[in-house]
């Protein structure tokens, strides 16, 4: 219910902005169309939330309705976010007009104010482009990681990574199975799932079955993300436990390590839990410290250590304890980037792609799915990483 109230606030805010910036949209037949589409979009969110119909499995006929609701909602949010500077300019222009001599129309000279009137068109266009881009499915990204002193047995070792799948209203278990199939077809040696697997635990059985379809030589290793903690941690832990009981090649790592042997070389894969610490950075750091101390134990000098962490900012802790490569997600790459530069790069120290500290490497995936289908310049990805010795 809280989300619906936030959405209602966004719709109301956008309406008030349009009423001030583009009065013609709130008069006559245009006003009726604007209100009608807003009510339709709001109903597309409200009916599933209240009745449950289409909440867990979206019937094909409702897919266009749900996508329209996303486009309309994001456009409304963009209108609210872009409004302040244009509203300021409009108010200033109106005051200047009042102070001008009679017969002098200064409004024609305020090009920025006129540009502000085009804001709704830009918002709808950007929203539509982002939703279409986010709904086209994942890309397959090949990444080569060169590690100094990597043992010969691991030269060419391949890892398939999926992360931030968010099985739920917009991502189905079949989508996840398709991602696992891609890694199976690529013949990777190890598959990893670095958190935020699911948002709707009503689809847990099908989701776990998709993970269990892995055919990788060393199976699949997974860690928890913040959404597992939010959406139903007990159910998710139970799902992984059932896979283990059935002998499926899928193992969840929670502040622990799994040792595998490849070509006679030991590989220690460490998996850390997500630090659910609220808004406290100090609390987060304390939890990471405990996770590091607990999971990086009994490391043999000859082990090649890899780390799985949903949050990429665990990287310094992993590097300090000898992890040669850390794989993460969480950020979705900001979901919007221009010329390869994330628009919201300021939000995380490690936002997207490759990072390096001395001989320790980090790769942050842009995510395999999403909880909202809106992406520009950061497509969903299944990552195929190849280790190389240098």
């Amino acid at each position: 219910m809280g989300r619906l109230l936030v959405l209602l606030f966004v719709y109301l805010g956008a309406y008030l902005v349009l009423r001030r910036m583009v009065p013609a949209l709130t008069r006559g037949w245009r006003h009726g169309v604007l209100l009608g589409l807003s009510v339709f979009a709001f109903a597309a969110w409200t009916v599933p939330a209240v009745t449950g119909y289409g909440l867990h499995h979206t019937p094909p006929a409702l897919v266009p309705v749900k996508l329209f609701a996303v486009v309309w909602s994001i456009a409304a949010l963009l209108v609210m976010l872009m409004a302040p500077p244009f509203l300021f300019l409009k108010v200033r222009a109106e005051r200047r007009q009042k102070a001008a001599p009679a017969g002098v129309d200064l409004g024609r000279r305020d090009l920025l104010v006129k540009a502000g009137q085009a804001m709704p068109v830009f918002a709808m266009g950007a929203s539509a482009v982002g939703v279409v881009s986010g709904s086209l499915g994942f890309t397959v990204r090949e990444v080569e990681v060169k590690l100094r002193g990597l043992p010969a047995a691991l030269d060419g070792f391949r890892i398939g990574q999926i992360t931030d799948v968010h099985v739920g209203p917009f991502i189905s278990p079949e989508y996840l199975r398709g991602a696992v199939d891609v890694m199976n077809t690529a013949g990777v040696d190890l598959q990893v799932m670095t958190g935020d697997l699911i948002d709707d635990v009503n689809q847990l059985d099908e989701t776990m079955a998709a993970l269990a379809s892995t055919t990788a030589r060393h199976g699949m290793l997974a860690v928890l993300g913040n959404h597992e903690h939010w959406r139903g941690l007990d159910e998710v832990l139970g799902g992984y436990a059932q896979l283990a009981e059935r002998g499926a090649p899928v193992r969840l790592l929670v502040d622990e390590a799994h040792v595998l042997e490849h070509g006679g070389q030991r590989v220690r894969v460490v998996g850390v839990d997500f630090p659910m610490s609220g808004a406290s950075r100090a609390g987060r750091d304390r939890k990471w410290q405990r996770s590091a101390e607990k999971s990086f134990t009994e490391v043999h000098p000859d082990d090649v250590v890899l780390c799985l962490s949903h949050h990429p900012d665990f990287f310094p802790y992993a590097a300090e304890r000898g992890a040669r490569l850390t794989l993460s997600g969480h950020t979705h790459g900001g979901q919007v980037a221009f010329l390869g530069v994330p628009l919201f790069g300021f939000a995380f120290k490690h936002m997207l792609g490759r990072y390096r500290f001395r001989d320790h490497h980090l790769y942050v995936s842009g995510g395999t799915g999403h909880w909202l289908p809106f992406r520009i310049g950061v497509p969903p990805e299944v990552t195929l990483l190849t280790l190389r010795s240098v």
Side-chain angles (χ1 to χ4, degrees):
M1 187 61 66
R3 293 184 179 184
L4 293 177
L5 291 176
V6 171
L7 187 64
L8 186 61
F9 170 78
V10 170
Y11 282 12
L12 180 60
Y15 174 80
L16 294 176
V17 167
L18 293 177
R19 185 175 179 178
R20 190 74 172 83
M21 291 294 302
V22 194
L25 285 178
T26 58
R27 296 172 186 163
W29 65 270
R30 295 181 182 87
H31 191 209
V33 171
L34 178 64
L35 291 179
L37 292 176
S38 297
V39 170
F40 179 74
F42 190 72
W45 295 108
T46 305
V47 171
V50 173
T51 68
Y53 179 71
L55 185 62
H56 306 303
H57 298 279
T58 305
L62 290 184
V63 171
V65 175
K66 187 172 286 188
L67 289 179
F68 169 77
V70 174
V71 171
W72 192 260
S73 302
I74 293 176
L77 181 61
L78 290 176
V79 166
M80 284 190 64
L81 294 176
M82 293 187 298
F86 291 110
L87 284 173
F88 171 78
L89 291 172
K90 183 175 179 61
V91 170
R92 189 183 70 169
E94 290 173 348
R95 289 177 178 176
R96 289 171 56 199
Q97 181 63 53
K98 289 181 180 179
V104 177
D105 184 4
L106 297 178
R108 297 179 180 179
R109 304 177 187 177
D110 284 302
L111 296 179
L112 289 177
V113 174
K114 297 293 185 183
Q117 295 177 350
M119 181 176 53
V121 176
F122 173 82
M124 281 297 295
S127 180
V129 169
V131 170
V132 170
S133 176
S135 303
L136 291 178
F138 56 79
T139 61
V140 179
R141 186 178 301 277
E142 296 269 2
V143 177
E144 189 173 80
V145 182
K146 297 180 179 180
L147 300 176
R148 191 181 305 276
L150 184 72
L154 296 180
D155 189 23
F157 187 83
R158 303 189 75 204
I159 305 171
Q161 180 192 13
I162 56 176
T163 188
D164 299 273
V165 182
H166 295 285
V167 172
F170 298 102
I171 298 293
S172 68
E174 290 74 23
Y175 179 97
L176 171 60
R177 186 179 289 271
V180 175
D181 287 345
V182 165
M183 296 188 291
N184 289 341
T185 301
V188 298
D189 301 295
L190 172 68
Q191 296 181 14
V192 300
M193 209 300 297
T194 51
D196 279 6
L197 170 66
I198 188 167
D199 285 345
D200 179 9
V201 293
N202 289 286
Q203 303 183 59
L204 186 62
D205 290 343
E206 301 96 322
T207 298
M208 289 300 169
L211 294 185
S213 67
T214 176
T215 59
R217 175 179 175 180
H218 300 293
M220 178 183 291
L221 300 176
V223 294
L224 299 172
N226 50 308
H227 279 247
E228 284 90 344
H229 284 272
W230 288 340
R231 303 301 186 189
L233 180 60
D234 290 341
E235 291 87 345
V236 172
L237 292 177
Y240 278 112
Q242 289 179 11
L243 289 185
E245 291 172 0
R246 295 200 299 265
V250 180
R251 178 175 176 181
L252 176 66
L253 301 177
V254 183
D255 289 343
E256 57 187 309
H258 173 75
V259 178
L260 60 91
E261 188 172 302
H262 186 85
Q265 173 62 48
R266 281 168 52 100
V267 179
R268 180 177 293 270
V269 184
V270 173
V272 297
D273 196 4
F274 190 89
M276 300 298 290
S277 57
S280 169
R281 180 168 183 174
R284 183 194 70 179
D285 291 344
R286 285 194 298 270
K287 289 191 175 184
W288 271 340
Q289 184 67 37
R290 290 196 294 268
S291 290
E293 292 171 354
K294 183 178 179 181
S295 55
F296 282 87
T297 58
E298 301 179 358
V299 177
H300 191 276
D302 294 332
D303 289 349
V304 172
V305 182
L306 309 178
C307 180
L308 309 180
S309 170
H310 182 62
H311 201 304
D313 288 352
F314 184 78
F315 176 49
Y317 294 88
E320 181 183 15
R321 288 160 177 79
R324 301 300 308 278
L325 173 64
T326 299
L327 300 177
S328 297
H330 186 54
T331 67
H332 296 211
Q335 296 202 188
V336 179
F338 298 102
L339 300 177
V341 180
L343 179 62
F344 306 106
F346 58 86
F348 292 93
K349 182 177 180 180
H350 309 98
M351 174 61 82
L352 178 66
R354 300 167 179 257
Y355 299 87
R356 180 176 179 178
F357 174 71
R358 297 176 182 171
D359 288 334
H360 309 279
H361 297 252
L362 165 70
Y363 182 79
V364 184
S365 167
T368 308
H370 43 246
W371 50 266
L372 187 68
F374 180 84
R375 287 177 178 264
I376 297 177
V378 187
E381 66 177 78
V382 172
T383 316
L384 306 179
L385 302 106
T386 303
L387 307 187
R388 292 297 180 189
S389 178
V390 292

